[in-house]
Amino acid sequence: MNNRRRMTGVVTSNKMTKTVVVEISRRFRHPLYRKVVHSSKRVKAHDEIGCQIGDKVQIVESRPLSRDKHWVVENIVKKEIRTADTGVADLKVELPEDEETQETEANNDSA
């Protein structure tokens, strides 16, 4: 095992080629005020295994791969199961032939 830092985070973007944005969140108690503080940071990581948005991944520190990339995705801890959202455009009502012609004639008469 090597001395490289390893962190776990959630993939928030995968729009770049072979690069994902991983958000690393942590909670800690403030040393003086004893209040729970939420902290997060976003890093770019090199992705050869094909992560999707919402996947929980483990990233490992590496040599600089570009100006922003200093991390590599090591493995996927938990895979996110996403379903395709059906939008309004996908919902199309099929009308019979005679109703379609009556509807278009009514629209032409009113115009």
Side-chain angles (χ1 to χ4, degrees):
M1 196 78 173
N2 51 20
N3 296 0
R4 296 180 180 180
R5 291 189 294 169
R6 286 173 168 73
M7 294 188 180
T8 305
V10 178
V11 176
T12 57
S13 173
N14 63 349
K15 293 185 178 182
M16 296 169 275
T17 307
K18 293 189 178 179
T19 304
V20 292
V21 178
V22 179
E23 185 167 344
I24 302 163
S25 300
R26 71 185 202 106
R27 288 187 325 197
F28 61 96
R29 190 169 295 276
H30 193 277
L32 178 62
Y33 300 116
R34 310 305 295 165
K35 182 175 178 174
V36 176
V37 181
H38 297 273
S39 171
S40 66
K41 65 179 175 179
R42 295 164 57 109
V43 296
K44 292 186 178 134
H46 187 70
D47 175 32
E48 288 283 342
I49 56 180
C51 300
Q52 298 299 319
I53 296 174
D55 289 351
K56 189 171 185 179
V57 296
Q58 183 175 13
I59 57 176
V60 62
E61 194 176 33
S62 72
R63 65 178 178 82
L65 299 169
S66 70
R67 188 182 74 167
D68 297 329
K69 282 200 296 187
H70 305 283
W71 298 87
V72 175
V73 175
E74 191 171 35
N75 60 7
I76 298 175
V77 176
K78 182 181 175 192
K79 196 87 167 154
E80 176 70 19
I81 299 170
R82 297 183 67 108
T83 59
D85 295 331
T86 56
V88 178
D90 294 340
L91 299 175
K92 184 178 178 184
V93 178
E94 296 293 329
L95 295 174
E97 289 291 325
D98 56 332
E99 289 182 21
E100 285 182 2
T101 55
Q102 290 173 359
E103 200 171 291
T104 55
E105 288 172 5
N107 290 339
N108 292 340
D109 292 339
S110 64

